[in-house]
Structure formats: C-alpha cells, structure tokens
Amino acid sequence: MEPHSSMRVRRVFVQSKSFKKRLPVIEADMSCSSFQSGPDTMMELQSCHWPSYSVFKWHDWTERDPAWQEMVCQYKESIKRKYEHRNERSFLSGERVSLAALYTEPVIIQKNKKGSFRNISVEELFNKSDIHLRYPSNVSNVLQGNSGSGKSFLVQKIILDWAFEQHYLKEFDLVFCLRCEELKCISEEMNLIELLSWNCGLTLDQISEMLQNSSQRVLFIIDGLDDLDELRFMCDEFCISSKFQRAPPEVIVCSLLRQQILPRYFLLITTRTEVPKRMLLIGQQRFSRIVGFSEKGVEEYFQKFFQNEELFRKAYECVRVNETLITACSIPVICWIICTVMRERFSDGADMMSGLETTTSIYVNFVSTLLEHHCQGLSQSVPSLLRSLGQLAERGMLEQQVLFDEKTVYDTISDPAGNPFLHKFLLKRKIHQETMFSFMHLSFQEFFTALYYVLLDEEESQRKVRELLYTVERGWALSCWSDRDFSKANLEISVSNLLQPVILFLCGLCKKEWISSFIEKHNMTVSVNIETQLKEWINQCSQRYQNELMLFILHCLYELHEKSFIGKVLEQLASIDLSNILLKNADCWMLRFCFQNCVNIGKLRLSLTSDNLKILQSALYTCEELWLKVDHITDDTGDLISALGEGKIVKELIIQDQKSSKASHKKRIKSFCQEIIASVKDEDVMLCFRFSVSSSKIRPSSLISELTLTCSRPEVSTVNWRIFLQKLQRLLRSQVSSADGVFLLDVLHSVSGLKKVHLQIDELTVGWIFTILSLVQAFPSLNELRTNSAVSFIPFNIKQSLVESLTQTGWTLTVWRNSVLIERDRKSFTEEDLKTIKTENTESKRAESSSGQSSSGYAEVFTPECVQQDDEDKHKTIYRFVCPHAGQFQCSLTSLVFVMEGEGEVLYNIVSWDSGLGQLRPAGPLYNIDCSAGSVSQLHFQHCVIFSEENKDCLAVAHFTGGNVEIIQPLKVSETHVIIDIRDLSNFGLIWIKTIFGFPINVAPSKGVELPAHRRIPETEFVNTHRDKLIERVSSVMAIADSLKSKDMINGEMYSKVHAAEPREEKMRLLLDALDSGGAAVKAEFCRLLKEKERYLVNELGPHL
C-alpha cells in the first residue's frame, strides 16, 4: 500500500480474552515504555532519566491572544451543549438527562511490573509530572476495558470536565476526541486540521490557530482504537509528518500515535483489547483497565436511576442480598439492564428477581421486557423481528461493524426507527449528514447474534456454530505462538476475542429452563444439537489452555449452569492455573459455583485479593494442592489451614503475599506475613510462616523471620487458626523487648500436640533461653526444637546454660555455627532401672512430706477435662479438674500442682500476659485459676531453672488481683516447682526477680500492669474504654450487626453502611458509631452478643463485665 493512498477502514471490535465485560474498575499497568531506536527500551516510569531541559514550563494563559481565548471558550460551550445532556437509554421515553446525573465513578486499579495493585481516581490518569516533566517525550495513557465497562461514558465525562475547567484538566489548553467507530465511515482523505474540524465543528482557520497557540498543552482522546484494524499493519513508513498533509483518517491516527505530526501532546486511548507490545505507541505509556463498579458505586447508580427513594431502597435491597446480582451489577451495562427490568416489574407487580441468575438470563429477561412494553406498535411479528435483529447483528460481527447505514438496516428490519434495540443518530459527512444505526450497546449485538444461531434450522445452526468455534480456537492457537511476527495473526486473534461473548451467550441460551417460557410465548423453535457441540468443544479446550483462556472456559461452564457437566469437566483436569490473572468479584462468584459442583480438584493456582478470597474460600476445600497469591495475608486464611488438618485439602497449601510497592504501602501495613506453606507427610502437617524483615523500625519483624511447626493432622484440625494468626500478628507488631519469648509461648499454647518447632531469628540472645526451656517444658509431645540465627556466633555462656538446663530435663543439645538443635534424649532404660528410679523418688518425696515440707513430686497425677465453650473459643482451652478429696494433685498437661483441703471443682486456663509489663519479666505461663468451693490452699508452678543454692531465689510469683499486682515470695523452690500459699484465686504467673546469672531485676510494677478494678464494669464504660481494641480485634462484626438489626436496635441504612464497608475494622468503627446513637440499652445488647460470640476477647478486656 502506498503511504498516502485512499483506503476504506474496516471495523474491528476486539473483546478481552477473558470476556469479563461485566465490570468497571480501572486497572492500570504502570509499566512505562520508551520505544525509540533499540528493542530493549522498557523502563519503569520512576527510573526515567531526562536531560537538563526536562522541566518544561507551560506558557501562561495571560500570554495568549484574547481572540484565541475567545475561540477556546466558544469551543468549550459547544462541548457543553453536545455532552452535558444526552438521550439516556435507561429512560426509554427518550427523556434527556444530564451526564452528571448519571455518572458513577468507576473503581480504578493501577498495576506495576512487580504485580502489586493500588486504587487510583480518574484524576490520577492525568499525572501532572507526566505533563510537566516529560518534555520532549510524549505520554500515552491506554485505557482498556471490555464492552460495557463504561470507557466511552468516561471519555465524555473527561471532555465535559475540561469544558467546565475542572482542576485536574486545567493543564490542557485543548482537548480533542476522535471516535474510531465514526472515523472508519470516512472514505475520503483529509489532513489533521480537516479531521478535527469534521469532528468538533470548528472552522479550519480556528483549528489551525488554536493548535498553533496551544504549544504542547493538547490532549488527544482516541476512543475505540481497536475499531481501526488497519492500524495493526502500519508502521512508520505509512505515517505522515505534517498536520497539513492529507491521508485517510486511520493514517492520521497512526501518525498521532507514532508522534509524527505534532511534536508533543498527551494521548488518552481507549480500547477493548490489549495493545500489542510492538504496535504503534511511542514514548511514556500507562496501561489501564476498567473492571467494575464498587458495591457503593452500584448503590449510587441505583439511586440515580430510580430517582425515587422508596423504589431505590426496595430495588437495591433485593439486589444487595443476592450475591449473583450484586456482582453482575458491577458492570455498568448489566447494572442498567437490571434496573430497567426491575422498574418494569415494579409497575407490573411481577416478581422482581425471577430468572435473573446468569448474564444470559439477565439479557433474555431484558429483551422479553422490552418486547412486551415497547414493541407493540411494530409491524413485524416477534419471531420475525428477532431473526432480523440477529441477521443484522451477525453481519456486523463477521464484518467487524458496529455502525450500519440506513439502507442496510431498512433492507433487514421493517421499522428500525421505532425499534428499542437500535440507536439512530446523524453522522456528519463532508457536505451533508447521513443517518446511521447501531445496537443500543455492543453486548446486544453479541446477544442477538447468538440468539439468531439458536433460532436457525438445525443444519444451518450447527454449521454456523461450528465455524464460530473454529474461528475462536484458531485465534487462541495463534496467540500461543511465541515467535509470531506478522500482523495478520494479530488480526485473527482480535476477531477471535471479538466473537468470544457470542459463545458465552450461546452457552446460556442452551439452558432450557431460562428460555423455554420466552420461546414458547412467541411460538418459536430452537436448535437442540447446539448444546452437544458446545459441550464437546468445552471439554476439549479445557485440557489445552490455562490462565485467560481457561477462565473463559470456566465462564462458559457457568453460563451452561449444568452441575453434572461442570463436575465432569473439572475432575478430569490435572491442574487449573489462573495465577497470571487478578480475579475479579464476578470471576470469584463464577468459580465458587463451578468448584462447589466438583468433588475433587487437583492442583489449583489463583491470584486474587483478600476480599475475593472470602468469596471463594468455602469452595477451595476440595483441592489436593492449592497455591494462592493474595494482595495481603489476613487471619481469614486460618480456615484454609484448618481445612488441611481436616483432610479437605489433601496434600499442600501455599499462600503468598504479592510483592509490595511504595504505592501500596498504606494497604501493605495490614499484611504481617509474606508466605504460609503447609504440607502433609505421613499424616504429619508442617506449617511454615515467613515474615517480612524489610522494616528495621519494627523490632519483632526483624526478631523472628520464620516459624515452622510440625504436628499431627488430627491436632491441626482442633486449633482455631484464625485466632492463632491474630495472636501471631500481635506478636510480630509488638514493641515489647522484655517478653518476646513469653508472647511467642502464648501464641504456641493454642497449638496442642506440637512435635517440632523451628525458629529463624536474628540473634540467639540470653532472652531466648527462657523461651527455649519453656517450650521444652510446656509441650510434652515436642521432640525437636531448632533455631537458626542470622548471627553466625553463639555465645559460650548461652551454650553452657542451655547444656546444663537441658541435660537435667532429658534433652540433648547440638550447636553448629549459627544453628542450635535440641532433641529429646533417646536414652532407653531397662524395666528394672525404671522401677529403681520410681522407688527412690517415692521414698524421697514421702520423707519430705513427713518432715512437713510440701513436695510436688508426691502429687497424684490427673488428666483434666478440656472444656471448649464454642467455635469462637477453640483457642481458649479451659481445663476442668473435679477434686474428690483433700491432697496434692498434679496436672499431666501443665505440671501445675494443686494442694486441696477438700473436694471441689477447679477451672484454669492460660491467658495472655499484659503487653505493658514494665520491668516484670515473665518466667512462665500466666494462669487464670478459679475454684468455687475455695478449697485450694497451695499452688506449685513448674520452672525450668538449673537448681542450686545460688539461683533458687531468682523466681517469684506475680498475683494479679483487683487493680494491683502482688509479688509473692515462694514458700519453697524445689528442683522442679515454685510453691506458694494462696488466700484467693485469680491470675498467677512466675516472674524473674533475678536473671539466671544473678543480676537483680526491678520488680516494681509499672502503670501498664494495672488491671481494671474488681467490680462489674458498665457496658457503656466497657465500649468507650476499649473502642480502639474492639475496632482492631472483633471478628464477628456482621454476626453482631445481624442480631442488632433483627431486634431493631440499628436501622436499615446504618446496617447497609456496615455491610458495605471494607475492611473489617471500618465495619466495626461504623457499628460503634451506631451504638453511640442508640444509647445504653443498645450497648448492653452489644456486650451480651460480644460475650456470646467472642468470649475470649471479653474475658481479656473486661473479665468483670
């Protein structure tokens, strides 16, 4: 082709590979490319380096010619007239409404090369640093989104904002929008100035002068780049170099993209498909993607659509409680369809929710509604009308057309002007205007194409579907060629992507239950063999493709909605890999349905947000091996660990935190763990927790970098791993230096049956000796403890102390460089040795007892009953011992000894040491002990100190009572226990009053130790005092809110706000605000529910509530 020859541009519509046209959110890939002379010029935006003239100051408005300013003002007024009001299709009466009254902000997500995401606003698409500091390079902002995602509507909003001089666009003197679907209808050649004049209505002289005076402050918006498919064949030799040079419109657009016509400007490009990496664009680039409304955005759209508070509330509540519909409404076009259907059903008194399940069923119901309410006066019968619409739609899909001339439409449809499914408008020609038609939205062109295939006779229907499936799969095959280097392949891939939605609609139309009434009502027949064709094709493709293509296949299964077929397809797959795609809400609800209908999934790899993990989590328990990449790891992942223990996840579980970035730092604060790896071997489960060590300011993160636990599979299933992860998170964020080991013990005490513990720490210090010895003491099942430190030298005094202490307790120590291995002594005794040892110990203890000295060794050993109140309290094991008579009794699990004066029931459990311990140094667990009969006279606490005359006075007992801490000196310290007399029961725990090397410790308690006074705390005082901790730690927010709403203690509006809020902490903050306005009675009920749902938290914060 000659560079300046006339050409007719064909229309190409390219659909995203994954057919997620159901969502707006702008997901932006911030990879910044510079395509200049070499092939390897990709670079990060932040790392771009520019010469000394890189800071470019714009000309000031005051320097402009007043006549020029007047022309710009007139241009802005024309934009306001064109875009401020529009014939909105949601108002089928043709009522004109303002764009501002309809516009709902999409969510925008930005992604960098490292894979992390952040939300941005529309304003942030126009970064001032790009506009000011990128001289002499241009900036291209590519905005990608599927059909129906709201790209064109967003473009209109941006143009109108510039006309109204919104602050984020004030840097631009001029904004021009070129709509590619209209440009392809132009057959004659023209220059850039003529093209802009044709588009915006200004004269050639005005355009020329405006460009001349605007310098580089120009924003060009190219809407629908993929509509000009010839661009894929173009390179620099086809481009023109002057704004006065004439060429076909697509050549002018290509020249703008290649920076050939004007020296500097800013580009905003919208497209349905990804821009090929080696195509067209030059300069700095940002790749963005619209993927969906937020739930708040859906609510806002409903309110704007209905414009009636009662109808809005009724409609939105129906949708909000339906997971399928609220997710579908995140796609603007679907949201509009559902609103329209519900409004008509309101007026008819029909069931608002009937038949609205999948995307196809929603479209079927919408078409049925419009046929019933807005097509009575048309001359064609319904079957004839639907076939005519389908014929026109198919022609457009195959010829890549979205605009149809008047003659083509009238040859197919008898009364197109009155047809509610078509949109009529005037297209400007050189000397006249031409009437053109399009479908009300591209998605309806796709739907009517699929419906047309279904309504054809059997033979013709099968032929067309066979050709459709071949075309789509051929495009898939070409996309997998890593060495393809020709543009024709790219074109076939684009056509393949364009046709994918037709397949999805075909799958949905095979669901007889959803279309039977529609078909029967209008006396139509459908092809019965299409379903078999589609199932065979899906079954074959599911075994060939992964990632984007696999996700599309799963969407096909969801539209078919046949549970047995879904299970059959998924169970034969060895693996499903979707790790290269960040799953959206709609994807997750679809996957949840598919996975719930599959008995067994082999290997599954997913990448998703922590919020979407909540949607999918219950459906992941059938995986043999599960690998997840989440934006940050939360305590919700504890349920997956429990599933592994229960045998639901068979072999392996890997949860990884996505790589952090400066842009997402605020969100990253919530992520306390980099990776969780759980694997099963010989019915033992190994759990490895790897923590971030990047921030040296947070001491515990650098203290413990990895924790690995091994225990039996049945024991794993009994642990509440949510609570474990919450405690672990608090441990790693704690700043306390005097009790590092104690808090770790507190975390591990909830994991019974530990066999192995492996700690990766920065340095093995004296403070770790107590932790190591306490671990050995606290877990009878433990047989191996290993520590690895970053410092390669282990001090001699630490090694010596450990050797002496462990030898006495039956453990061996091996030290190699920076590693310490502690193993239970495997020494075996003969039966005679054991009898001799037992006899000697018994006689020794009796001698001590007869001399009036209390001994722990002569106590009767018992195994307590473990009481667990409910699921929320699984982490809080309460031990129960029913004493039959007076005597000494030793707990086999904790080695705690009770000296009883008579019978009685003893309840005891391990509780957390207060994080504000001041100078107190815990030397063992803190016990909460209660005996209703008051028959406990002495307590014996097991210690792990090398016993000698020099160090036997290094321990004491802290007794927490009322608002004080009492330091109790021991009655006696034996080789194994510290013995004290008691008067009343509450919290007791061993503390150091000297170090193990004999240095004294100041035991005066600090203010941080003081506990609430021993009195009943009023509910209002409890809520007000512990507001911050409640926000941080309450996990059952919605369960409590549900109960309060059922009792009419919070209204529906407040409940909706709590439900919609994210994250969980924000839900709790809003709920507490509601309590403040509800008064004492509401707070009392809240506290009652909190004690019921989270008893452990209440006992910790307010035991006397």
Side-chain angles (χ1 to χ4, degrees):
M1 181 188 298
E2 293 298 323
H4 310 307
S5 63
S6 176
M7 68 170 74
R8 176 67 181 175
V9 183
R10 289 190 305 114
R11 173 72 164 137
V12 175
F13 300 91
V14 184
Q15 181 62 26
S16 168
K17 291 183 180 179
S18 54
F19 182 64
K20 298 181 287 289
K21 66 175 180 156
R22 321 286 184 227
L23 294 174
V25 169
I26 298 179
E27 174 186 309
D29 184 353
M30 289 291 298
S31 58
C32 177
S33 339
S34 181
F35 288 41
Q36 296 172 4
S37 58
D40 300 317
T41 53
M42 294 291 290
M43 64 183 71
E44 294 256 0
L45 186 61
Q46 297 90 335
S47 63
C48 295
H49 296 286
W50 304 99
S52 58
Y53 51 79
S54 62
V55 179
F56 178 73
K57 295 183 179 179
W58 301 113
H59 297 295
D60 192 84
W61 262 84
T62 58
E63 301 175 11
R64 302 291 167 74
D65 182 356
W68 182 89
Q69 295 186 34
E70 179 63 25
M71 279 189 294
V72 173
C73 289
Q74 291 177 8
Y75 177 44
K76 289 182 177 180
E77 290 302 316
S78 69
I79 289 175
K80 292 176 186 178
R81 290 192 296 271
K82 182 176 182 180
Y83 293 110
E84 190 171 7
H85 292 84
R86 63 200 302 259
N87 292 321
E88 175 54 35
R89 289 185 296 268
S90 61
F91 297 86
L92 294 174
S93 62
E95 175 187 350
R96 285 176 61 81
V97 294
S98 70
L99 184 144
L102 292 171
Y103 178 75
T104 302
E105 182 83 8
V107 181
I108 305 174
I109 297 178
Q110 221 171 52
K111 178 183 178 183
N112 65 14
K113 287 183 181 179
K114 295 181 179 179
S116 60
F117 297 84
R118 74 181 183 102
N119 286 0
I120 65 170
S121 63
V122 174
E123 289 85 347
E124 289 178 276
L125 289 172
F126 304 96
N127 192 317
K128 287 189 177 182
S129 65
D130 291 335
I131 301 169
H132 284 284
L133 303 179
R134 298 308 175 197
Y135 178 86
S137 179
N138 290 351
V139 178
S140 301
N141 206 330
V142 181
L143 183 61
Q144 182 194 353
N146 298 325
S147 174
S149 60
K151 300 182 301 298
S152 294
F153 197 66
L154 182 62
V155 164
Q156 293 180 40
K157 174 68 163 54
I158 291 170
I159 296 171
L160 195 60
D161 281 350
W162 174 77
F164 277 102
E165 300 183 3
Q166 294 297 314
H167 67 92
Y168 72 98
L169 294 167
K170 283 186 176 180
E171 303 296 335
F172 297 111
D173 290 344
L174 293 173
V175 174
F176 294 105
C177 179
L178 298 174
R179 301 185 183 280
C180 295
E181 64 181 17
E182 297 177 0
L183 298 184
K184 73 175 294 282
C185 297
I186 303 174
S187 56
E188 63 267 23
E189 294 185 353
M190 55 181 64
N191 60 36
L192 174 63
I193 295 174
E194 291 172 332
L195 183 62
L196 295 178
S197 176
W198 172 88
N199 180 71
C200 68
L202 296 173
T203 66
L204 298 179
D205 291 340
Q206 286 175 322
I207 294 289
S208 180
E209 186 175 350
M210 290 168 71
L211 286 177
Q212 184 68 29
N213 283 275
S214 64
S215 186
Q216 293 82 25
R217 298 176 61 159
V218 181
L219 168 62
F220 285 102
I221 301 176
I222 301 176
D223 188 20
L225 178 66
D226 44 3
D227 293 340
L228 299 179
D229 56 290
E230 278 79 1
L231 290 175
R232 299 177 183 278
F233 296 92
M234 293 183 180
C235 50
D236 287 343
E237 60 263 26
F238 291 101
C239 296
I240 58 177
S241 58
S242 168
K243 59 187 175 184
F244 301 107
Q245 193 171 348
R246 300 174 67 84
E250 62 272 14
V251 174
I252 297 175
V253 172
C254 180
S255 302
L256 284 173
L257 297 175
R258 301 293 290 179
Q259 300 182 17
Q260 300 291 324
I261 301 181
L262 298 175
R264 287 170 293 278
Y265 43 86
F266 193 101
L267 280 172
L268 175 62
I269 302 161
T270 71
T271 175
R272 288 188 301 279
T273 60
E274 293 182 4
V275 178
K277 290 183 178 179
R278 300 203 319 243
M279 189 195 98
L280 299 175
L281 300 178
I282 280 182
Q284 305 306 313
Q285 298 162 30
R286 293 186 176 188
F287 294 95
S288 310
R289 181 180 175 85
I290 304 180
V291 292
F293 283 150
S294 65
E295 191 168 329
K296 288 182 181 179
V298 173
E299 182 179 7
E300 180 185 341
Y301 185 89
F302 266 67
Q303 191 168 20
K304 290 179 176 180
F305 181 93
F306 285 98
Q307 299 180 334
N308 177 292
E309 186 67 20
E310 183 181 355
L311 289 179
F312 151 63
R313 284 293 169 196
K314 190 174 180 180
Y316 180 70
E317 281 301 311
C318 290
V319 170
R320 185 186 63 79
V321 298
N322 186 304
E323 295 168 347
T324 302
L325 286 185
I326 193 65
T327 303
C329 282
S330 61
I331 307 142
V333 68
I334 301 293
C335 194
W336 158 60
I337 290 173
I338 290 174
C339 286
T340 304
V341 171
M342 294 183 77
R343 184 181 59 186
E344 298 296 342
R345 290 183 177 181
F346 272 140
S347 61
D348 294 345
D351 181 6
M352 292 183 297
M353 311 302 292
S354 175
L356 303 177
E357 294 187 50
T358 65
T359 300
T360 306
S361 66
I362 291 170
Y363 274 74
V364 168
N365 276 274
F366 179 80
V367 170
S368 179
T369 298
L370 262 63
L371 288 172
E372 182 177 350
H373 292 274
H374 299 277
C375 295
Q376 296 90 341
L378 298 181
S379 57
Q380 284 181 286
S381 66
V382 169
S384 174
L385 173 64
L386 293 178
R387 289 190 179 92
S388 297
L389 287 169
Q391 187 177 357
L392 182 67
E394 185 209 24
R395 175 176 176 174
M397 296 299 291
L398 296 180
E399 295 181 4
Q400 297 108 52
Q401 275 189 308
V402 70
L403 301 183
F404 304 92
D405 60 60
E406 194 172 21
K407 181 179 183 307
T408 300
V409 175
Y410 273 96
D411 287 345
T412 311
I413 299 172
S414 61
D415 185 15
N419 193 305
F421 301 105
L422 297 176
H423 175 54
K424 177 182 176 181
F425 63 97
L426 295 176
L427 182 67
K428 182 181 177 183
R429 291 298 190 186
K430 193 166 186 178
I431 58 175
H432 70 283
Q433 290 183 326
E434 181 179 352
T435 300
M436 302 291 288
F437 288 87
S438 68
F439 281 87
M440 61 197 316
H441 191 270
L442 176 60
S443 59
F444 285 95
Q445 188 170 333
E446 298 158 354
F447 172 79
F448 281 115
T449 301
L451 184 62
Y452 178 60
Y453 289 165
V454 170
L455 296 177
L456 289 171
D457 64 76
E458 200 70 50
E459 183 178 350
E460 183 69 4
S461 174
Q462 289 187 57
R463 182 184 66 81
K464 285 185 175 292
V465 170
R466 185 166 54 251
E467 292 174 356
L468 171 70
L469 299 178
Y470 171 80
T471 301
V472 169
E473 192 174 2
R474 175 173 170 80
W476 289 0
L478 289 172
S479 69
C480 297
W481 290 6
S482 59
D483 59 345
R484 72 177 191 276
D485 192 26
F486 47 92
S487 300
K488 187 177 179 181
N490 286 337
L491 181 59
E492 290 193 54
I493 293 168
S494 300
V495 174
S496 171
N497 292 335
L498 162 69
L499 295 173
Q500 284 179 192
V502 179
I503 297 177
L504 280 175
F505 281 124
L506 278 173
C507 290
L509 291 171
C510 289
K511 187 71 174 175
K512 303 297 188 296
E513 293 88 336
W514 293 336
I515 66 168
S516 57
S517 60
F518 174 69
I519 297 298
E520 292 169 5
K521 181 177 180 179
H522 300 291
N523 195 27
M524 297 182 291
T525 57
V526 298
S527 173
V528 296
N529 291 320
I530 290 180
E531 183 176 359
T532 303
Q533 275 183 284
L534 290 170
K535 285 182 176 179
E536 290 177 356
W537 182 77
I538 289 170
N539 199 23
Q540 293 172 2
C541 291
S542 65
Q543 301 178 52
R544 299 173 184 168
Y545 303 103
Q546 292 289 353
N547 283 302
E548 291 91 346
L549 304 182
M550 173 57 76
L551 186 63
F552 173 78
I553 292 166
L554 291 167
H555 274 287
C556 289
L557 290 173
Y558 179 73
E559 290 295 323
L560 279 169
H561 233 66
E562 185 177 318
K563 296 180 179 180
S564 59
F565 181 67
I566 291 172
K568 176 185 175 183
V569 171
L570 296 186
E571 286 166 23
Q572 67 184 2
L573 300 179
S575 66
I576 299 175
D577 187 354
L578 305 175
S579 59
N580 288 344
I581 312 165
L582 181 68
L583 298 175
K584 315 301 184 302
N585 277 18
D587 299 328
C588 291
W589 286 115
M590 174 275 295
L591 290 174
R592 174 172 168 165
F593 177 81
C594 292
F595 293 161
Q596 284 177 338
N597 291 289
C598 180
V599 177
N600 180 59
I601 303 170
K603 297 179 181 179
L604 179 63
R605 297 169 64 90
L606 303 175
S607 178
L608 68 175
T609 66
S610 55
D611 289 334
N612 283 340
L613 178 58
K614 296 176 185 177
I615 297 173
L616 257 181
Q617 191 157 301
S618 62
L620 300 177
Y621 298 154
T622 57
C623 301
E624 290 191 15
E625 298 180 24
L626 177 61
W627 182 92
L628 300 175
K629 183 189 288 185
V630 295
D631 56 350
H632 63 281
I633 296 174
T634 67
D635 53 43
D636 293 319
T637 55
D639 293 341
L640 292 170
I641 300 175
S642 298
L644 186 77
E646 294 164 8
K648 296 176 181 176
I649 299 174
V650 181
K651 295 179 181 178
E652 187 174 49
L653 169 66
I654 300 175
I655 306 171
Q656 290 182 335
D657 185 21
Q658 290 178 354
K659 301 298 184 183
S660 62
S661 70
K662 294 179 181 179
S664 59
H665 177 68
K666 290 184 179 179
K667 190 170 186 178
R668 296 281 315 158
I669 293 174
K670 296 179 182 177
S671 188
F672 69 99
C673 189
Q674 281 188 332
E675 187 175 41
I676 299 175
I677 301 175
S679 58
V680 180
K681 184 177 181 181
D682 300 329
E683 286 306 302
D684 277 348
V685 176
M686 186 196 75
L687 284 163
C688 178
F689 303 90
R690 291 175 180 159
F691 312 113
S692 173
V693 294
S694 58
S695 177
S696 59
K697 294 181 181 179
I698 303 177
R699 181 180 176 275
S701 294
S702 61
L703 180 66
I704 304 173
S705 58
E706 184 173 308
L707 171 65
T708 304
L709 311 175
T710 303
C711 48
S712 66
R713 194 167 197 162
E715 295 289 351
V716 171
S717 64
T718 65
V719 177
N720 188 322
W721 290 101
R722 275 177 177 259
I723 303 299
F724 175 88
L725 291 174
Q726 289 174 9
K727 285 187 172 185
L728 192 60
Q729 186 172 6
R730 290 197 294 273
L731 161 69
L732 296 170
R733 291 181 180 173
S734 170
Q735 298 277 350
V736 179
S737 60
S738 60
D740 296 323
V742 174
F743 289 122
L744 177 61
L745 286 171
D746 183 45
V747 171
L748 296 181
H749 265 299
S750 59
V751 185
S752 56
L754 271 180
K755 293 184 177 181
K756 297 179 182 180
V757 176
H758 177 200
L759 288 166
Q760 185 75 36
I761 58 179
D762 273 3
E763 183 178 1
L764 186 63
T765 61
V766 173
W768 278 103
I769 295 178
F770 163 73
T771 304
I772 291 171
L773 298 178
S774 297
L775 280 170
V776 169
Q777 167 194 312
F779 296 95
S781 58
L782 191 67
N783 53 49
E784 181 180 305
L785 174 63
R786 183 190 299 270
T787 67
N788 276 33
S789 60
V791 178
S792 60
F793 174 72
I794 306 296
F796 175 78
N797 61 339
I798 295 177
K799 288 190 285 186
Q800 186 65 25
S801 180
L802 282 172
V803 168
E804 293 176 358
S805 299
L806 291 169
T807 301
Q808 294 187 12
T809 55
W811 289 75
T812 59
L813 175 73
T814 305
V815 178
W816 174 250
R817 293 185 177 177
N818 61 337
S819 297
V820 173
L821 173 62
I822 302 169
E823 296 178 287
R824 192 176 292 280
D825 194 350
R826 307 296 184 185
K827 177 181 177 182
S828 59
F829 294 91
T830 63
E831 188 174 347
E832 192 63 33
D833 291 335
L834 292 174
K835 288 182 179 179
T836 302
I837 293 171
K838 185 175 181 180
T839 301
E840 290 175 352
N841 286 340
T842 302
E843 291 176 352
S844 171
K845 303 309 177 187
R846 283 177 177 170
E848 287 186 12
S849 180
S850 63
S851 65
Q853 296 178 336
S854 178
S855 170
S856 306
Y858 194 54
E860 181 179 339
V861 178
F862 69 91
T863 300
E865 176 188 357
C866 294
V867 181
Q868 291 175 341
Q869 300 297 327
D870 53 39
D871 289 341
E872 291 292 333
D873 283 334
K874 279 186 177 180
H875 67 288
K876 178 188 173 184
T877 303
I878 300 176
Y879 302 110
R880 180 173 178 263
F881 166 53
V882 180
C883 178
H885 53 76
Q888 294 186 34
F889 301 89
Q890 180 170 348
C891 173
S892 62
L893 301 180
T894 64
S895 297
L896 194 61
V897 176
F898 302 95
V899 179
M900 306 292 293
E901 295 179 342
E903 63 182 22
E905 181 189 57
V906 182
L907 296 175
Y908 56 104
N909 63 285
I910 298 171
V911 296
S912 297
W913 287 92
D914 193 299
S915 59
L917 287 169
Q919 296 297 318
L920 293 182
R921 181 68 183 272
L926 180 65
Y927 294 98
N928 179 27
I929 304 170
D930 186 33
C931 179
S932 56
S935 52
V936 181
S937 61
Q938 278 188 357
L939 292 173
H940 300 191
F941 299 91
Q942 188 179 31
H943 66 79
C944 53
V945 178
I946 306 170
F947 185 73
S948 66
E949 289 298 323
E950 290 77 19
N951 62 20
K952 69 178 183 179
D953 59 348
C954 66
L955 295 171
V957 176
H959 178 208
F960 295 81
T961 179
N964 303 307
V965 179
E966 177 188 7
I967 307 302
I968 303 176
Q969 294 296 330
L971 183 68
K972 179 186 176 183
V973 178
S974 69
E975 292 184 0
T976 58
H977 285 75
V978 174
I979 303 168
I980 62 168
D981 285 327
I982 63 168
R983 297 183 299 276
D984 57 351
L985 292 171
S986 56
N987 290 357
F988 294 88
L990 279 181
I991 61 169
W992 298 97
I993 56 176
K994 290 183 181 180
T995 69
I996 59 174
F997 302 111
F999 300 110
I1001 296 176
N1002 178 13
V1003 297
S1006 69
K1007 292 182 180 179
V1009 179
E1010 294 181 8
L1011 300 179
H1014 189 78
R1015 61 180 178 86
R1016 185 186 179 280
I1017 302 174
E1019 288 83 357
T1020 300
E1021 180 183 333
F1022 173 82
V1023 173
N1024 294 340
T1025 302
H1026 300 295
R1027 180 183 177 88
D1028 291 343
K1029 290 187 178 179
L1030 292 173
I1031 290 173
E1032 178 186 353
R1033 298 177 61 184
V1034 171
S1035 58
S1036 308
V1037 183
M1038 287 312 302
I1040 294 173
D1042 289 338
S1043 299
L1044 291 174
K1045 186 175 184 296
S1046 68
K1047 298 178 184 294
D1048 294 326
M1049 289 188 165
I1050 59 174
N1051 58 38
E1053 182 180 358
M1054 179 55 70
Y1055 177 84
S1056 297
K1057 288 182 179 180
V1058 173
H1059 182 273
E1062 290 296 341
R1064 184 186 64 207
E1065 291 83 354
E1066 183 61 24
K1067 290 180 185 287
M1068 191 62 202
R1069 185 176 287 106
L1070 290 174
L1071 184 58
L1072 291 178
D1073 290 343
L1075 299 184
D1076 291 338
S1077 60
V1082 178
K1083 288 184 178 179
E1085 177 61 18
F1086 168 79
C1087 290
R1088 186 191 70 77
L1089 293 169
L1090 191 63
K1091 285 192 283 188
E1092 177 185 309
K1093 306 286 185 186
E1094 304 202 23
R1095 186 186 303 271
Y1096 170 76
L1097 178 59
V1098 173
N1099 287 344
E1100 182 179 337
L1101 296 180
H1104 305 300
L1105 176 65

